[in-house]
mmCIF file with all atom_site columns, all heavy atoms in Angstrom:
data_model
loop_
_atom_site.group_PDB
_atom_site.id
_atom_site.type_symbol
_atom_site.label_atom_id
_atom_site.label_alt_id
_atom_site.label_comp_id
_atom_site.label_asym_id
_atom_site.label_entity_id
_atom_site.label_seq_id
_atom_site.pdbx_PDB_ins_code
_atom_site.Cartn_x
_atom_site.Cartn_y
_atom_site.Cartn_z
_atom_site.occupancy
_atom_site.B_iso_or_equiv
_atom_site.pdbx_formal_charge
_atom_site.auth_seq_id
_atom_site.auth_comp_id
_atom_site.auth_asym_id
_atom_site.auth_atom_id
_atom_site.pdbx_PDB_model_num
ATOM 1   N N   . SER P 1 11 ? -2.940  22.324 7.265   1.00 0.00 ? 11 SER P N   1
ATOM 2   C CA  . SER P 1 11 ? -4.293  21.960 7.676   1.00 0.00 ? 11 SER P CA  1
ATOM 3   C C   . SER P 1 11 ? -5.097  21.487 6.478   1.00 0.00 ? 11 SER P C   1
ATOM 4   O O   . SER P 1 11 ? -4.725  21.732 5.332   1.00 0.00 ? 11 SER P O   1
ATOM 5   C CB  . SER P 1 11 ? -4.994  23.171 8.312   1.00 0.00 ? 11 SER P CB  1
ATOM 6   O OG  . SER P 1 11 ? -5.138  24.219 7.368   1.00 0.00 ? 11 SER P OG  1
ATOM 7   N N   . PHE P 1 12 ? -6.172  20.790 6.753   1.00 0.00 ? 12 PHE P N   1
ATOM 8   C CA  . PHE P 1 12 ? -7.090  20.370 5.703   1.00 0.00 ? 12 PHE P CA  1
ATOM 9   C C   . PHE P 1 12 ? -8.503  20.458 6.247   1.00 0.00 ? 12 PHE P C   1
ATOM 10  O O   . PHE P 1 12 ? -8.719  20.476 7.460   1.00 0.00 ? 12 PHE P O   1
ATOM 11  C CB  . PHE P 1 12 ? -6.796  18.950 5.216   1.00 0.00 ? 12 PHE P CB  1
ATOM 12  C CG  . PHE P 1 12 ? -6.998  17.897 6.261   1.00 0.00 ? 12 PHE P CG  1
ATOM 13  C CD1 . PHE P 1 12 ? -8.224  17.256 6.394   1.00 0.00 ? 12 PHE P CD1 1
ATOM 14  C CD2 . PHE P 1 12 ? -5.976  17.540 7.120   1.00 0.00 ? 12 PHE P CD2 1
ATOM 15  C CE1 . PHE P 1 12 ? -8.423  16.288 7.352   1.00 0.00 ? 12 PHE P CE1 1
ATOM 16  C CE2 . PHE P 1 12 ? -6.157  16.568 8.093   1.00 0.00 ? 12 PHE P CE2 1
ATOM 17  C CZ  . PHE P 1 12 ? -7.386  15.944 8.207   1.00 0.00 ? 12 PHE P CZ  1
ATOM 18  N N   . THR P 1 13 ? -9.457  20.533 5.339   1.00 0.00 ? 13 THR P N   1
ATOM 19  C CA  . THR P 1 13 ? -10.868 20.625 5.706   1.00 0.00 ? 13 THR P CA  1
ATOM 20  C C   . THR P 1 13 ? -11.609 19.424 5.147   1.00 0.00 ? 13 THR P C   1
ATOM 21  O O   . THR P 1 13 ? -11.471 19.114 3.952   1.00 0.00 ? 13 THR P O   1
ATOM 22  C CB  . THR P 1 13 ? -11.503 21.922 5.155   1.00 0.00 ? 13 THR P CB  1
ATOM 23  O OG1 . THR P 1 13 ? -10.758 23.038 5.652   1.00 0.00 ? 13 THR P OG1 1
ATOM 24  C CG2 . THR P 1 13 ? -12.955 22.040 5.590   1.00 0.00 ? 13 THR P CG2 1
ATOM 25  N N   . VAL P 1 23 ? -10.899 16.564 -8.382  1.00 0.00 ? 23 VAL P N   1
ATOM 26  C CA  . VAL P 1 23 ? -10.242 16.802 -9.662  1.00 0.00 ? 23 VAL P CA  1
ATOM 27  C C   . VAL P 1 23 ? -9.809  15.430 -10.182 1.00 0.00 ? 23 VAL P C   1
ATOM 28  O O   . VAL P 1 23 ? -9.233  14.630 -9.447  1.00 0.00 ? 23 VAL P O   1
ATOM 29  C CB  . VAL P 1 23 ? -9.060  17.784 -9.538  1.00 0.00 ? 23 VAL P CB  1
ATOM 30  C CG1 . VAL P 1 23 ? -8.006  17.300 -8.563  1.00 0.00 ? 23 VAL P CG1 1
ATOM 31  C CG2 . VAL P 1 23 ? -8.429  18.043 -10.903 1.00 0.00 ? 23 VAL P CG2 1
ATOM 32  N N   . LEU P 1 52 ? -3.258  21.588 -10.990 1.00 0.00 ? 52 LEU P N   1
ATOM 33  C CA  . LEU P 1 52 ? -3.926  21.637 -9.690  1.00 0.00 ? 52 LEU P CA  1
ATOM 34  C C   . LEU P 1 52 ? -4.209  23.080 -9.284  1.00 0.00 ? 52 LEU P C   1
ATOM 35  O O   . LEU P 1 52 ? -5.299  23.392 -8.784  1.00 0.00 ? 52 LEU P O   1
ATOM 36  C CB  . LEU P 1 52 ? -3.063  20.948 -8.634  1.00 0.00 ? 52 LEU P CB  1
ATOM 37  C CG  . LEU P 1 52 ? -2.941  19.424 -8.748  1.00 0.00 ? 52 LEU P CG  1
ATOM 38  C CD1 . LEU P 1 52 ? -1.871  18.909 -7.795  1.00 0.00 ? 52 LEU P CD1 1
ATOM 39  C CD2 . LEU P 1 52 ? -4.278  18.748 -8.464  1.00 0.00 ? 52 LEU P CD2 1
ATOM 40  N N   . PHE P 1 56 ? -7.878  24.561 -8.516  1.00 0.00 ? 56 PHE P N   1
ATOM 41  C CA  . PHE P 1 56 ? -8.203  25.184 -7.231  1.00 0.00 ? 56 PHE P CA  1
ATOM 42  C C   . PHE P 1 56 ? -8.612  26.641 -7.400  1.00 0.00 ? 56 PHE P C   1
ATOM 43  O O   . PHE P 1 56 ? -9.386  27.169 -6.592  1.00 0.00 ? 56 PHE P O   1
ATOM 44  C CB  . PHE P 1 56 ? -7.016  25.076 -6.279  1.00 0.00 ? 56 PHE P CB  1
ATOM 45  C CG  . PHE P 1 56 ? -6.995  23.800 -5.483  1.00 0.00 ? 56 PHE P CG  1
ATOM 46  C CD1 . PHE P 1 56 ? -6.578  22.610 -6.064  1.00 0.00 ? 56 PHE P CD1 1
ATOM 47  C CD2 . PHE P 1 56 ? -7.404  23.786 -4.163  1.00 0.00 ? 56 PHE P CD2 1
ATOM 48  C CE1 . PHE P 1 56 ? -6.562  21.435 -5.345  1.00 0.00 ? 56 PHE P CE1 1
ATOM 49  C CE2 . PHE P 1 56 ? -7.393  22.613 -3.429  1.00 0.00 ? 56 PHE P CE2 1
ATOM 50  C CZ  . PHE P 1 56 ? -6.977  21.422 -4.013  1.00 0.00 ? 56 PHE P CZ  1
ATOM 51  N N   . ASP P 1 61 ? -12.797 24.375 -3.049  1.00 0.00 ? 61 ASP P N   1
ATOM 52  C CA  . ASP P 1 61 ? -13.211 23.356 -2.085  1.00 0.00 ? 61 ASP P CA  1
ATOM 53  C C   . ASP P 1 61 ? -13.026 21.942 -2.624  1.00 0.00 ? 61 ASP P C   1
ATOM 54  O O   . ASP P 1 61 ? -13.686 21.003 -2.172  1.00 0.00 ? 61 ASP P O   1
ATOM 55  C CB  . ASP P 1 61 ? -14.664 23.567 -1.667  1.00 0.00 ? 61 ASP P CB  1
ATOM 56  C CG  . ASP P 1 61 ? -15.633 23.624 -2.850  1.00 0.00 ? 61 ASP P CG  1
ATOM 57  O OD1 . ASP P 1 61 ? -15.172 23.741 -4.004  1.00 0.00 ? 61 ASP P OD1 1
ATOM 58  O OD2 . ASP P 1 61 ? -16.853 23.554 -2.615  1.00 0.00 ? 61 ASP P OD2 1
ATOM 59  N N   . ILE P 1 62 ? -12.120 21.754 -3.590  1.00 0.00 ? 62 ILE P N   1
ATOM 60  C CA  . ILE P 1 62 ? -11.774 20.409 -4.046  1.00 0.00 ? 62 ILE P CA  1
ATOM 61  C C   . ILE P 1 62 ? -11.141 19.640 -2.889  1.00 0.00 ? 62 ILE P C   1
ATOM 62  O O   . ILE P 1 62 ? -10.285 20.170 -2.175  1.00 0.00 ? 62 ILE P O   1
ATOM 63  C CB  . ILE P 1 62 ? -10.807 20.481 -5.241  1.00 0.00 ? 62 ILE P CB  1
ATOM 64  C CG1 . ILE P 1 62 ? -11.523 21.056 -6.468  1.00 0.00 ? 62 ILE P CG1 1
ATOM 65  C CG2 . ILE P 1 62 ? -10.212 19.113 -5.563  1.00 0.00 ? 62 ILE P CG2 1
ATOM 66  C CD1 . ILE P 1 62 ? -10.600 21.403 -7.615  1.00 0.00 ? 62 ILE P CD1 1
ATOM 67  N N   . SER P 1 63 ? -11.550 18.388 -2.706  1.00 0.00 ? 63 SER P N   1
ATOM 68  C CA  . SER P 1 63 ? -11.058 17.634 -1.549  1.00 0.00 ? 63 SER P CA  1
ATOM 69  C C   . SER P 1 63 ? -10.381 16.320 -1.906  1.00 0.00 ? 63 SER P C   1
ATOM 70  O O   . SER P 1 63 ? -9.875  15.624 -1.012  1.00 0.00 ? 63 SER P O   1
ATOM 71  C CB  . SER P 1 63 ? -12.209 17.354 -0.573  1.00 0.00 ? 63 SER P CB  1
ATOM 72  O OG  . SER P 1 63 ? -13.237 16.598 -1.197  1.00 0.00 ? 63 SER P OG  1
ATOM 73  N N   . VAL P 1 64 ? -10.327 15.944 -3.190  1.00 0.00 ? 64 VAL P N   1
ATOM 74  C CA  . VAL P 1 64 ? -9.678  14.689 -3.550  1.00 0.00 ? 64 VAL P CA  1
ATOM 75  C C   . VAL P 1 64 ? -9.194  14.754 -5.002  1.00 0.00 ? 64 VAL P C   1
ATOM 76  O O   . VAL P 1 64 ? -9.839  15.368 -5.859  1.00 0.00 ? 64 VAL P O   1
ATOM 77  C CB  . VAL P 1 64 ? -10.628 13.481 -3.348  1.00 0.00 ? 64 VAL P CB  1
ATOM 78  C CG1 . VAL P 1 64 ? -11.864 13.597 -4.225  1.00 0.00 ? 64 VAL P CG1 1
ATOM 79  C CG2 . VAL P 1 64 ? -9.913  12.159 -3.600  1.00 0.00 ? 64 VAL P CG2 1
ATOM 80  N N   . LEU P 1 65 ? -8.038  14.159 -5.250  1.00 0.00 ? 65 LEU P N   1
ATOM 81  C CA  . LEU P 1 65 ? -7.523  13.940 -6.602  1.00 0.00 ? 65 LEU P CA  1
ATOM 82  C C   . LEU P 1 65 ? -7.779  12.490 -6.984  1.00 0.00 ? 65 LEU P C   1
ATOM 83  O O   . LEU P 1 65 ? -7.360  11.577 -6.260  1.00 0.00 ? 65 LEU P O   1
ATOM 84  C CB  . LEU P 1 65 ? -6.028  14.248 -6.674  1.00 0.00 ? 65 LEU P CB  1
ATOM 85  C CG  . LEU P 1 65 ? -5.289  13.764 -7.942  1.00 0.00 ? 65 LEU P CG  1
ATOM 86  C CD1 . LEU P 1 65 ? -5.829  14.450 -9.196  1.00 0.00 ? 65 LEU P CD1 1
ATOM 87  C CD2 . LEU P 1 65 ? -3.777  13.996 -7.807  1.00 0.00 ? 65 LEU P CD2 1
ATOM 88  N N   . LEU P 1 66 ? -8.470  12.274 -8.093  1.00 0.00 ? 66 LEU P N   1
ATOM 89  C CA  . LEU P 1 66 ? -8.694  10.937 -8.643  1.00 0.00 ? 66 LEU P CA  1
ATOM 90  C C   . LEU P 1 66 ? -7.772  10.783 -9.851  1.00 0.00 ? 66 LEU P C   1
ATOM 91  O O   . LEU P 1 66 ? -7.905  11.506 -10.837 1.00 0.00 ? 66 LEU P O   1
ATOM 92  C CB  . LEU P 1 66 ? -10.149 10.765 -9.065  1.00 0.00 ? 66 LEU P CB  1
ATOM 93  C CG  . LEU P 1 66 ? -11.204 10.997 -7.981  1.00 0.00 ? 66 LEU P CG  1
ATOM 94  C CD1 . LEU P 1 66 ? -12.610 10.991 -8.588  1.00 0.00 ? 66 LEU P CD1 1
ATOM 95  C CD2 . LEU P 1 66 ? -11.094 9.953  -6.881  1.00 0.00 ? 66 LEU P CD2 1
ATOM 96  N N   . PRO P 1 87 ? 2.548   21.482 -3.391  1.00 0.00 ? 87 PRO P N   1
ATOM 97  C CA  . PRO P 1 87 ? 2.037   21.865 -2.058  1.00 0.00 ? 87 PRO P CA  1
ATOM 98  C C   . PRO P 1 87 ? 0.540   21.634 -1.915  1.00 0.00 ? 87 PRO P C   1
ATOM 99  O O   . PRO P 1 87 ? 0.057   21.388 -0.808  1.00 0.00 ? 87 PRO P O   1
ATOM 100 C CB  . PRO P 1 87 ? 2.367   23.363 -1.976  1.00 0.00 ? 87 PRO P CB  1
ATOM 101 C CG  . PRO P 1 87 ? 3.480   23.570 -2.950  1.00 0.00 ? 87 PRO P CG  1
ATOM 102 C CD  . PRO P 1 87 ? 3.235   22.593 -4.064  1.00 0.00 ? 87 PRO P CD  1
ATOM 103 N N   . LEU P 1 88 ? -0.195  21.686 -3.025  1.00 0.00 ? 88 LEU P N   1
ATOM 104 C CA  . LEU P 1 88 ? -1.639  21.515 -2.947  1.00 0.00 ? 88 LEU P CA  1
ATOM 105 C C   . LEU P 1 88 ? -2.029  20.106 -2.516  1.00 0.00 ? 88 LEU P C   1
ATOM 106 O O   . LEU P 1 88 ? -3.112  19.886 -1.973  1.00 0.00 ? 88 LEU P O   1
ATOM 107 C CB  . LEU P 1 88 ? -2.270  21.848 -4.293  1.00 0.00 ? 88 LEU P CB  1
ATOM 108 C CG  . LEU P 1 88 ? -2.215  23.326 -4.691  1.00 0.00 ? 88 LEU P CG  1
ATOM 109 C CD1 . LEU P 1 88 ? -2.625  23.523 -6.135  1.00 0.00 ? 88 LEU P CD1 1
ATOM 110 C CD2 . LEU P 1 88 ? -3.090  24.162 -3.770  1.00 0.00 ? 88 LEU P CD2 1
ATOM 111 N N   . LEU P 1 89 ? -1.152  19.138 -2.745  1.00 0.00 ? 89 LEU P N   1
ATOM 112 C CA  . LEU P 1 89 ? -1.465  17.764 -2.370  1.00 0.00 ? 89 LEU P CA  1
ATOM 113 C C   . LEU P 1 89 ? -1.322  17.521 -0.872  1.00 0.00 ? 89 LEU P C   1
ATOM 114 O O   . LEU P 1 89 ? -1.651  16.438 -0.391  1.00 0.00 ? 89 LEU P O   1
ATOM 115 C CB  . LEU P 1 89 ? -0.582  16.790 -3.156  1.00 0.00 ? 89 LEU P CB  1
ATOM 116 C CG  . LEU P 1 89 ? -0.825  16.772 -4.666  1.00 0.00 ? 89 LEU P CG  1
ATOM 117 C CD1 . LEU P 1 89 ? 0.087   15.765 -5.351  1.00 0.00 ? 89 LEU P CD1 1
ATOM 118 C CD2 . LEU P 1 89 ? -2.284  16.465 -4.985  1.00 0.00 ? 89 LEU P CD2 1
ATOM 119 N N   . LYS P 1 90 ? -0.844  18.523 -0.147  1.00 0.00 ? 90 LYS P N   1
ATOM 120 C CA  . LYS P 1 90 ? -0.801  18.404 1.314   1.00 0.00 ? 90 LYS P CA  1
ATOM 121 C C   . LYS P 1 90 ? -2.176  18.626 1.944   1.00 0.00 ? 90 LYS P C   1
ATOM 122 O O   . LYS P 1 90 ? -2.377  18.341 3.116   1.00 0.00 ? 90 LYS P O   1
ATOM 123 C CB  . LYS P 1 90 ? 0.197   19.402 1.901   1.00 0.00 ? 90 LYS P CB  1
ATOM 124 C CG  . LYS P 1 90 ? 1.652   19.126 1.553   1.00 0.00 ? 90 LYS P CG  1
ATOM 125 C CD  . LYS P 1 90 ? 2.558   20.149 2.220   1.00 0.00 ? 90 LYS P CD  1
ATOM 126 C CE  . LYS P 1 90 ? 4.032   19.792 2.050   1.00 0.00 ? 90 LYS P CE  1
ATOM 127 N NZ  . LYS P 1 90 ? 4.482   19.931 0.654   1.00 0.00 ? 90 LYS P NZ  1
ATOM 128 N N   . SER P 1 91 ? -3.121  19.141 1.170   1.00 0.00 ? 91 SER P N   1
ATOM 129 C CA  . SER P 1 91 ? -4.412  19.510 1.747   1.00 0.00 ? 91 SER P CA  1
ATOM 130 C C   . SER P 1 91 ? -5.577  18.681 1.219   1.00 0.00 ? 91 SER P C   1
ATOM 131 O O   . SER P 1 91 ? -6.718  18.901 1.617   1.00 0.00 ? 91 SER P O   1
ATOM 132 C CB  . SER P 1 91 ? -4.694  20.999 1.478   1.00 0.00 ? 91 SER P CB  1
ATOM 133 O OG  . SER P 1 91 ? -4.726  21.260 0.092   1.00 0.00 ? 91 SER P OG  1
ATOM 134 N N   . ILE P 1 92 ? -5.324  17.739 0.300   1.00 0.00 ? 92 ILE P N   1
ATOM 135 C CA  . ILE P 1 92 ? -6.401  16.902 -0.223  1.00 0.00 ? 92 ILE P CA  1
ATOM 136 C C   . ILE P 1 92 ? -5.981  15.439 -0.209  1.00 0.00 ? 92 ILE P C   1
ATOM 137 O O   . ILE P 1 92 ? -4.791  15.119 -0.146  1.00 0.00 ? 92 ILE P O   1
ATOM 138 C CB  . ILE P 1 92 ? -6.823  17.312 -1.655  1.00 0.00 ? 92 ILE P CB  1
ATOM 139 C CG1 . ILE P 1 92 ? -5.674  17.078 -2.650  1.00 0.00 ? 92 ILE P CG1 1
ATOM 140 C CG2 . ILE P 1 92 ? -7.285  18.761 -1.695  1.00 0.00 ? 92 ILE P CG2 1
ATOM 141 C CD1 . ILE P 1 92 ? -6.077  17.296 -4.103  1.00 0.00 ? 92 ILE P CD1 1
ATOM 142 N N   . SER P 1 93 ? -6.969  14.560 -0.301  1.00 0.00 ? 93 SER P N   1
ATOM 143 C CA  . SER P 1 93 ? -6.690  13.132 -0.428  1.00 0.00 ? 93 SER P CA  1
ATOM 144 C C   . SER P 1 93 ? -6.328  12.818 -1.882  1.00 0.00 ? 93 SER P C   1
ATOM 145 O O   . SER P 1 93 ? -6.723  13.538 -2.798  1.00 0.00 ? 93 SER P O   1
ATOM 146 C CB  . SER P 1 93 ? -7.913  12.317 -0.016  1.00 0.00 ? 93 SER P CB  1
ATOM 147 O OG  . SER P 1 93 ? -8.303  12.619 1.301   1.00 0.00 ? 93 SER P OG  1
ATOM 148 N N   . VAL P 1 94 ? -5.604  11.735 -2.079  1.00 0.00 ? 94 VAL P N   1
ATOM 149 C CA  . VAL P 1 94 ? -5.211  11.309 -3.423  1.00 0.00 ? 94 VAL P CA  1
ATOM 150 C C   . VAL P 1 94 ? -5.562  9.837  -3.588  1.00 0.00 ? 94 VAL P C   1
ATOM 151 O O   . VAL P 1 94 ? -5.134  9.002  -2.784  1.00 0.00 ? 94 VAL P O   1
ATOM 152 C CB  . VAL P 1 94 ? -3.709  11.522 -3.674  1.00 0.00 ? 94 VAL P CB  1
ATOM 153 C CG1 . VAL P 1 94 ? -3.333  11.062 -5.083  1.00 0.00 ? 94 VAL P CG1 1
ATOM 154 C CG2 . VAL P 1 94 ? -3.318  12.977 -3.474  1.00 0.00 ? 94 VAL P CG2 1
#
Side-chain angles (χ1 to χ4, degrees):
S11 63
F12 64 92
T13 303
V23 58
L52 290 170
F56 273 77
D61 55 347
I62 292 169
S63 60
V64 61
L65 167 63
L66 303 172
L88 291 169
L89 295 181
K90 293 182 172 69
S91 60
I92 65 173
S93 302
V94 180

